[in-house]
Amino acid sequence: MFTKAITRKPCKALVNGISTAMFGEGKPVYEDAVEQHDQYVATLRELGLEVLDLEADERYPDSCFVEDPAVVMPECAVITNPATDSRKGEKYEIVDAIKKFYSDDQIFHLEEPGTMEGGDVMLIDKTFYVGQSERTNAEGARQFAAIVAKFGYDVSTVPVTEGLHLKDFVIYLGNNDILVSAVMNDVPEFQKYNRFVVPEEELYAINSLNINGTVLTPKGFPKTQAYIESLGYPVRPMNTNEFRLIDGSLTCLSLRF
Ligand code: CIR
């Protein structure tokens, strides 16, 4: 069960967020992003979470994607080392928020030359699957594995070959169910889970988010939504269109614990 979340309001500089345009082209509209973010925070609160919604930080265009500069679990928080110059400083800004919930001896830091972003980290039971991507390197995964091993977690690395982060291409819903891209469907480590291969045109819907039994899913992806519903989850379709233009989606917008 999640009881808390940390989010950060989008800043006006969001229009300059990094984009591969993999999910659509164009610049986000700030006011619409704020509205969609407000809806997201309201939904988390409605589902019972206490949400710390941090003020916007204009220095970092992508800073609303708080999932990337930290990885949190019940026992500890790991401050990561985002790979890109425009995001690196976000790790210093997330620490103060993390300190409200974790004591100093529960907070760990990844160091150069290790890089990692939380979008590459997916937890299933006591195993962290860590994407090896342009944002998370082998050294980042190695440092992370050494930290979380102290708390009984294993780490298994998975190559990310299709785009930005691991969780754009595979997500754990719970009850052994995962949503995968066709590429992730072939990954040996994932064969033991019940896999739904999301159709190519609905790839963006993979990044859905289970909050205490209710699944938030991006709006407008009927096949994926129907599949999740068929598993028995209540689904909340969410409008994330502005974040989508800069490769952002549902998990990226919060840290949950
Ligand atoms: C970036 O490229 O870093 C941002 N524009 C998007 C980050 C999305 N984060 C995530 O999926 N965890």
Side-chain angles (χ1 to χ4, degrees):
M1 282 290 277
F2 296 126
T3 58
K4 298 181 181 65
I6 298 171
T7 56
R8 188 185 289 284
K9 296 178 198 303
C11 58
K12 295 196 171 84
L14 168 94
V15 297
N16 299 318
I18 308 168
S19 179
T20 61
M22 71 176 165
F23 294 127
E25 290 189 20
K27 294 230 179 233
V29 174
Y30 166 71
E31 289 76 12
D32 294 346
V34 168
E35 201 178 311
Q36 289 168 18
H37 191 267
D38 284 349
Q39 279 295 324
Y40 179 83
V41 170
T43 302
L44 296 186
R45 288 189 172 134
E46 219 179 288
L47 295 172
L49 303 199
E50 175 197 325
V51 182
L52 173 61
D53 190 23
L54 303 168
E55 286 309 312
D57 188 338
E58 291 295 339
R59 294 168 298 170
Y60 302 108
D62 286 298
S63 52
C64 60
F65 302 123
V66 286
E67 178 178 62
D68 292 321
V71 177
V72 291
M73 61 210 85
E75 301 86 352
C76 73
V78 179
I79 309 300
T80 68
N81 185 25
T84 63
D85 288 347
S86 72
R87 301 205 62 187
K88 231 174 232 313
E90 289 177 35
K91 65 184 172 185
Y92 304 114
E93 305 311 319
I94 202 70
V95 176
D96 284 346
I98 293 287
K99 282 187 174 168
K100 293 191 197 312
F101 303 101
Y102 293 88
S103 59
D104 285 349
D105 62 354
Q106 290 178 299
I107 302 176
F108 299 85
H109 298 261
L110 299 188
E111 313 283 350
E112 295 284 354
T115 63
M116 172 177 276
E117 296 182 356
D120 277 319
V121 181
M122 177 177 70
L123 179 62
I124 302 185
D125 303 324
K126 291 291 267 187
T127 299
F128 280 106
Y129 294 95
V130 174
Q132 301 289 267
S133 69
E134 287 183 5
R135 303 293 182 86
T136 300
N137 63 19
E139 172 60 14
R142 192 196 62 74
Q143 291 179 24
F144 181 79
I147 294 165
V148 299
K150 295 180 204 145
F151 305 101
Y153 295 93
D154 293 327
V155 166
S156 179
T157 57
V158 177
V160 177
T161 55
E162 300 166 271
L164 189 58
H165 288 133
L166 178 75
K167 283 186 293 191
D168 293 322
F169 305 105
V170 52
I171 207 84
Y172 183 53
L173 290 176
N175 299 320
N176 221 44
D177 297 317
I178 61 176
L179 304 179
V180 286
S181 65
V183 172
M184 289 295 171
N185 189 40
D186 290 336
V187 169
E189 288 84 345
F190 297 145
Q191 300 306 305
K192 61 184 172 214
Y193 302 108
N194 302 323
R195 302 179 310 283
F196 175 68
V197 183
V198 171
E200 188 65 29
E201 73 279 8
E202 295 204 0
L203 214 54
Y204 180 70
I206 288 179
N207 193 269
S208 294
L209 172 60
N210 183 340
I211 298 289
N212 300 337
T214 296
V215 177
L216 279 52
T217 192
K219 204 175 190 161
F221 300 93
K223 292 177 186 155
T224 309
Q225 182 176 337
Y227 176 74
I228 299 170
E229 284 168 346
S230 77
L231 294 174
Y233 296 100
V235 171
R236 292 283 188 104
M238 306 288 298
N239 186 354
T240 54
N241 284 345
E242 303 309 316
F243 302 107
R244 178 180 173 171
L245 294 171
I246 50 170
D247 301 343
S249 188
L250 289 161
T251 69
C252 349
L253 289 172
S254 60
L255 286 164
R256 306 146 301 269
F257 47 105

